[in-house]
C-alpha cells in the first residue's frame, strides 16, 4: 500500500509573516548598503558621484523600480505565488555578488540584482497580505509587513555596530546574513497557497473568454478614470514621503555627520533607536488601532510628528537633545505613517484584476523619485549643508501630510469586494461572488 502526503498550507498569520519577510529583506538590503557605502568607497576609491549612482541603482531606488515595473504586472498575470518562486533566488545571487565583491563592477551588479528582486517582491507581498486578511483586521495584517520593514533596519544597524571593528569584512558578513534569511524565507514560502481572490478573479476572466496578457493589468488600470485619482493620491502620500525616507534610509549616517554627530558607532546606535521605535509604533499603534479608529487622524498624527522631527534635526541647536528628539519622533512617525497606509490603501482602492499592477506602478514611481534625489543628495549635502537641503525635505513631508489627511478614504471595516462595489458601481471589473471573510 502506498501513501501520499500533501503539503499543508500555511495558516493565515504564518502566511502573512512569511510574505512580510520581503519587507525585512528589502529594508535589510538598504541598510546593509547604507552602513557600508563609505567602506566600499574607501576600499575601491570611487567619488561621491559614484556613491550617488550606486545608491540610486539599489533596492532603495531605481533597482527596485525596475523590479516593480516587471513584478507588478507579472503578479496579476501569473499569480501572487509566481513571484515568490523566483524573486528571492535573484536576491540571493545579488547578495553573494556584493558579499564577495572584488571591484566596483561586482558591487554594482549585486546591488542592482538585489534591487530588482526587492522591487518584484514587495508589491506582491502588500497585495497578497491584504487579499488574504480578514476585512475587520486588514490593517493589522498589512501592518505586519511594515513591522518586518522596521525590524530589518534595527537589526541591520545593530549588526553594523557589532561587526564594525572588522571593517569591510564586517559589512560583507551583513550581506551574507541577508543571503541566509532570504534562503530560509524562500524555503518557507514554498508552502504558500495562491491568493484566493486572485484565483476567483482569474476564473471569472477565463469564463468570460478574456485574453490575458502581460499588459492586461496595466491596461485595465489605466483605462478606468477612478484609478488615476487613486494613483495620484497614493503617489502624493507615499511618493513624496518616501523621497525623504529613502534618503534617510541610505544617507542618514551622512545626515548625522552634517548635524554634528561624527562617530559611526553612535550614528548606528541612534538608528537602532529610530527603527526599534518604528517597530513599536507599528505594532502598538497602526496594527492595534488601524482597524478601530479614524485612519485620517491616525495618519495625520504620524505625518505631523515626522515634520516636527525633521524641523528639529535641521534647525534646532545641534546636540544630544535634538538628536534624541529626532530619533524618537521620526521613529514613531514612521511606524504610524505613509508606508503602512500606502500598503493598506493601495490594496483597497484598486480592483483585484490589476491590484498588483497598481502596486508595481506606484512602487516604481516612488523609487524613481528617490533615485533622482539620491543622484545628487550626497553632493548637495556636502556643498550646501543640511539647512538648505532641509527646505526640500520639509516641503515634501508637509505636502504628503496635507494630501493624506484631506483625501484619506473611509474604507475601514469593509471587505475588498464592498470597496470595489462602492468605487466602481455596476462596472466592477469582472465581478466575482463575494467570498466570506476569513
Amino acid at each position: 500500500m502506498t501513501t501520499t502526503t500533501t503539503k499543508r498550507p500555511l495558516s493565515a498569520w504564518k502566511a502573512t509573516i512569511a510574505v512580510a519577510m520581503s519587507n525585512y529583506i528589502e529594508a535589510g538590503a538598504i541598510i546593509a548598503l547604507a552602513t557600508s557605502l563609505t567602506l566600499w568607497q574607501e576600499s575601491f576609491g570611487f567619488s561621491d558621484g559614484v556613491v550617488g549612482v550606486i545608491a540610486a541603482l539599489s533596492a532603495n531606488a531605481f533597482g527596485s523600480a525596475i523590479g516593480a515595473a516587471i513584478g507588478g504586472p507579472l503578479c496579476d498575470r501569473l499569480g501572487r505565488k509566481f513571484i515568490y518562486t523566483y524573486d528571492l533566488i535573484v536576491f540571493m545571487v545579488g547578495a553573494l555578488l556584493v558579499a564577495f565583491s572584488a571591484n566596483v563592477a561586482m558591487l554594482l551588479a549585486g546591488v542592482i540584482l538585489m534591487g530588482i528582486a526587492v522591487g518584484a517582491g514587495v508589491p506582491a507581498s502588500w497585495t497578497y497580505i491584504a487579499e488574504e486578511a480578514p476585512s475587520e483586521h486588514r490593517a493589522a495584517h498589512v501592518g505586519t509587513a511594515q513591522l518586518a520593514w522596521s525590524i530589518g533596519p534595527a537589526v541591520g544597524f545593530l549588526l553594523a555596530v557589532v561587526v564594525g571593528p572588522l571593517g569591510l569584512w564586517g559589512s560583507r558578513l551583513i550581506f551574507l546574513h541577508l543571503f541566509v534569511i532570504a534562503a530560509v524565507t524562500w524555503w518557507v514560502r514554498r508552502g504558500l497557497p495562491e491568493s484566493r481572490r486572485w484565483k476567483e478573479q482569474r476564473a471569472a476572466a477565463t469564463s468570460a473568454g478574456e485574453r490575458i496578457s502581460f499588459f492586461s493589468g496595466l491596461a485595465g488600470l489605466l483605462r478606468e478614470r477612478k484609478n488615476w485619482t487613486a494613483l495620484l493620491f497614493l503617489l502624493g502620500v507615499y511618493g513624496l514621503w518616501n523621497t525623504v525616507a529613502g534618503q534617510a534610509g541610505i544617507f542618514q549616517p551622512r545626515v548625522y555627520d552634517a548635524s554634528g554627530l561624527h562617530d559611526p558607532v553612535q550614528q548606528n546606535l541612534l538608528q537602532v533607536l529610530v527603527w526599534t521605535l518604528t517597530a513599536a509604533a507599528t505594532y502598538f499603534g497602526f496594527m492595534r488601532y488601524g482597524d478601530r479608529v479614524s485612519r485620517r487622524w491616525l495618519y495625520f498624527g504620524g505625518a505631523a510628528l515626522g515634520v516636527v522631527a525633521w524641523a528639529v534635526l535641521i534647525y534646532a541647536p545641534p546636540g544630544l537633545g535634538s538628536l534624541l528628539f529626532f530619533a524618537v519622533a521620526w521613529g514613531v512617525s514612521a511606524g504610524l505613517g505613509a508606508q503602512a497606509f500606502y500598503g493598506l490603501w493601495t490594496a483597497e482602492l484598486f480592483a483585484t484584476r490589476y491590484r498588483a499592477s497598481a502596486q508595481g506602478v506606484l512602487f516604481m514611481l516612488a523609487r524613481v523619485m528617490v533615485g533622482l534625489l539620491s543622484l545628487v543628495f550626497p553632493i548637495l549635502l556636502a556643498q550646501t549643508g543640511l539647512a538648505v537641503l532641509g527646505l526640500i525635505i520639509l516641503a515634501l513631508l508637509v505636502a504628503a501630510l496635507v494630501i493624506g489627511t484631506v483625501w484619506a478614504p473611509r474604507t475601514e471595516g469593509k471587505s475588498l469586494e464592498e470597496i470595489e462595489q462602492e468605487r466602481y458601481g455596476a462596472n466592477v471589473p469582472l465581478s466575482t461572488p463575494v467570498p466570506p471573510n476569513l
Side-chain angles (χ1 to χ4, degrees), residues 23 27 31 126 142-151 153-154 157 237-238 241-242 244-246 248-249 252 256 270-287 298-310 325-343 397:
N23 295 268
I31 300 311
W126 291 106
V142 170
T144 305
Q146 174 72 7
L147 183 64
W149 183 80
S150 307
I151 293 172
F157 280 111
V237 168
Y238 182 62
W241 175 88
N242 190 62
V244 174
Q252 195 63 33
Y256 286 145
L270 199 60
Q271 286 298 87
V272 171
L273 176 60
V274 169
W275 292 110
T276 300
L277 289 171
T278 300
T282 300
Y283 181 76
F284 293 106
F286 184 83
M287 294 176 67
L298 188 62
Y299 173 86
F300 172 81
L305 191 58
V307 173
V308 174
W310 277 95
F325 180 88
F326 169 81
V328 173
W330 181 242
V332 173
S333 168
L336 299 175
Q339 182 155 291
F341 278 98
Y342 157 78
L397 291 176

Side-chain angles (χ1 to χ4, degrees), residues 126-162:
W126 291 106
T127 300
Y128 184 93
I129 291 171
E131 287 181 345
E132 293 298 291
S135 300
E136 65 274 17
H137 299 301
R138 192 160 49 242
H141 280 255
V142 170
T144 305
Q146 174 72 7
L147 183 64
W149 183 80
S150 307
I151 293 172
V155 172
F157 280 111
L158 187 59
L159 286 175
V161 172
V162 172

Side-chain angles (χ1 to χ4, degrees), residues 94-433:
L96 288 177
L97 277 174
V98 174
F100 295 103
S101 289
N103 51 55
V104 70
M106 283 184 68
L107 174 66
L108 189 58
V111 164
I112 292 173
L113 284 178
M114 292 172 73
I116 290 172
V118 163
V122 169
S125 73
W126 291 106
T127 300
Y128 184 93
I129 291 171
E131 287 181 345
E132 293 298 291
S135 300
E136 65 274 17
H137 299 301
R138 192 160 49 242
H141 280 255
V142 170
T144 305
Q146 174 72 7
L147 183 64
W149 183 80
S150 307
I151 293 172
V155 172
F157 280 111
L158 187 59
L159 286 175
V161 172
V162 172
V163 302
L166 299 177
L168 187 57
W169 282 106
S171 297
R172 295 178 189 271
L173 289 176
I174 295 177
F175 281 97
L176 285 175
H177 129 269
L178 289 173
F179 170 83
V180 173
I181 295 295
V184 172
T185 303
W186 176 81
W187 181 267
V188 172
R189 281 182 182 172
R190 296 186 315 146
L192 281 175
E194 181 56 87
S195 164
R196 173 174 52 84
R197 283 185 167 92
W198 181 84
K199 288 192 295 185
E200 291 172 348
Q201 186 279 325
R202 178 47 52 90
T206 302
S207 299
E210 179 178 346
R211 185 173 177 272
I212 301 170
S213 69
F214 175 80
F215 297 103
S216 294
L218 286 173
L221 173 70
L222 300 178
R223 189 181 302 120
E224 175 60 54
R225 184 175 180 181
K226 290 181 181 295
N227 293 333
W228 282 92
T229 57
L231 287 169
L232 290 173
F233 164 70
L234 288 162
L235 194 61
V237 168
Y238 182 62
L240 297 178
W241 175 88
N242 190 62
T243 302
V244 174
Q247 311 312 315
I250 204 151
F251 294 128
Q252 195 63 33
R254 293 173 183 244
V255 172
Y256 286 145
D257 189 72
S259 64
L261 182 65
H262 306 299
D263 181 30
V265 174
Q266 292 179 1
Q267 292 172 356
N268 289 335
L269 286 174
L270 199 60
Q271 286 298 87
V272 171
L273 176 60
V274 169
W275 292 110
T276 300
L277 289 171
T278 300
T282 300
Y283 181 76
F284 293 106
F286 184 83
M287 294 176 67
R288 290 285 187 92
Y289 295 100
D291 295 301
R292 299 163 54 186
V293 303
S294 168
R295 290 177 181 170
R296 181 190 308 274
W297 295 112
L298 188 62
Y299 173 86
F300 172 81
L305 191 58
V307 173
V308 174
W310 277 95
V312 168
L313 179 66
I314 296 165
Y315 298 114
L320 181 61
S322 58
L323 287 168
L324 286 176
F325 180 88
F326 169 81
V328 173
W330 181 242
V332 173
S333 168
L336 299 175
Q339 182 155 291
F341 278 98
Y342 157 78
L344 184 63
W345 285 336
T346 306
E348 293 177 337
L349 296 181
F350 299 99
T352 301
R353 69 172 300 183
Y354 41 67
R355 183 171 290 125
S357 294
Q359 288 272 13
V361 168
L362 286 164
F363 199 72
M364 176 193 69
L365 292 175
R367 294 304 184 175
V368 166
M369 291 166 69
V370 172
L372 291 174
L373 186 54
S374 294
L375 286 171
V376 297
F377 190 91
I379 298 172
L380 289 175
L381 186 61
Q383 293 181 353
T384 66
L386 188 57
V388 175
L389 198 55
L391 295 174
I392 299 174
I393 291 172
L394 291 177
L396 292 169
L397 291 176
V398 169
L401 181 155
V402 172
I403 292 169
T405 302
V406 173
W407 288 286
R410 300 187 64 178
T411 50
E412 47 265 49
K414 301 174 184 177
S415 72
L416 294 179
E417 289 75 23
E418 289 172 334
I419 298 169
E420 283 189 28
Q421 189 66 46
E422 288 181 1
R423 283 182 52 73
Y424 300 101
N427 298 316
V428 175
L430 287 178
S431 302
T432 59

